[in-house]
Amino acid sequence: MKRETQNVLLILLGGALVKIAVNGDYLRYVKPAQQPWIIAGGAVMVLLGAVAIVRDLVAARASHDHDGHSHSARPAWLLLVPVLAVFLVAPPALGADSVIRTEARVPASAAAANAAAFPPLPAGTVVPLSVNEFVSRAGWDAAGTLNGRTVSLTGFVVHTEGRTLLARLVISCCAADAFPVTVRLRGGEADHLASDAWIQVTGQVVPGTATKATSYTPDFTPASLTTVPTPKDPYEY
């Protein structure tokens, strides 16, 4: 690869990193805490590429003044078109396909259940919970703090093996380590919705349904269901 092409690619990649960090698209790939590092890394790449291009242009001009010949960099610049398409068009966040390909597992937060009891749920007619916490309590809370309580969950729809699930993907660092936590929706209210549609449901857990045999996917009886916009940050942590 020519130096001109390498420098152009370096600037484009750095610019793409800065762009997704500023407009929030980086949340499709990494945790929010990584934003400053992405901006810093992208800025350094842009600066290095720009310095290298300026240095090469000065050297090329000096060479031209010396021997009367110039070298066209047009082929390298023509590579901008496909590279822009690759780096500046962000793919969507992981969704239903990832859930179907990866078996749901015990949330990391459930590991503490063997050492300490889950705290009581806050007071209120409807308690909002992350799907991660809901699944942890449903499978590992011996005190049954979910039983009889109405909770609110937000996630996306997954249709698999004749079941309709509400799912979220949990990441520790980035999308590469994402794993799903899932809830089986009873009643058929979400069966007509497309996969990856985002919904908010209120309802109650069916006690005893989050077991190893069900891949720790509890059953949930919805009392209400509404579609919602895709959140800016689609993952849980």
Side-chain angles (χ1 to χ4, degrees), residues 3-4 7 49-65 71 73 77:
R3 284 180 54 84
E4 297 95 332
N7 295 335
V51 169
I53 287 177
V54 171
R55 182 185 58 194
D56 289 346
L57 288 174
V58 171
R61 177 169 293 182
S63 175
H64 172 69
D65 293 341
H71 302 279
W77 288 100

Side-chain angles (χ1 to χ4, degrees), residues 13-74:
L13 180 56
L17 289 176
V18 172
K19 177 188 175 183
I20 65 173
V22 171
N23 68 13
D25 285 345
Y26 77 99
L27 292 171
R28 300 175 182 179
Y29 316 106
V30 297
K31 298 175 69 171
Q34 303 297 323
Q35 185 187 36
W37 299 104
I38 297 173
I39 293 175
V44 169
M45 294 174 71
V46 170
L47 179 61
L48 290 175
V51 169
I53 287 177
V54 171
R55 182 185 58 194
D56 289 346
L57 288 174
V58 171
R61 177 169 293 182
S63 175
H64 172 69
D65 293 341
H66 177 74
D67 59 21
H69 296 285
S70 62
H71 302 279
S72 173
R74 181 174 297 176

Side-chain angles (χ1 to χ4, degrees), residues 170-228:
V170 180
I171 66 174
S172 299
C173 174
C174 60
D177 61 30
F179 68 90
V181 284
T182 54
V183 175
R184 181 183 179 185
L185 299 177
R186 289 190 173 186
E189 293 182 53
D191 291 354
H192 68 285
L193 296 174
S195 290
D196 289 319
W198 281 82
I199 59 174
Q200 183 178 69
V201 294
T202 62
Q204 296 187 4
V205 69
V206 178
T209 54
T211 65
K212 185 176 181 180
T214 63
S215 298
Y216 300 96
T217 297
D219 284 8
F220 186 82
T221 304
S224 68
L225 183 154
T226 57
T227 57
V228 295

Side-chain angles (χ1 to χ4, degrees), residues 62-111:
S63 175
H64 172 69
D65 293 341
H66 177 74
D67 59 21
H69 296 285
S70 62
H71 302 279
S72 173
R74 181 174 297 176
W77 288 100
L78 288 176
L79 290 173
L80 283 174
V81 176
V83 171
L84 281 170
V86 171
F87 288 114
L88 301 184
V89 179
L94 301 177
D97 288 343
S98 298
V99 175
I100 293 172
R101 291 195 305 266
T102 308
E103 183 180 6
R105 69 176 193 242
V106 181
S109 57

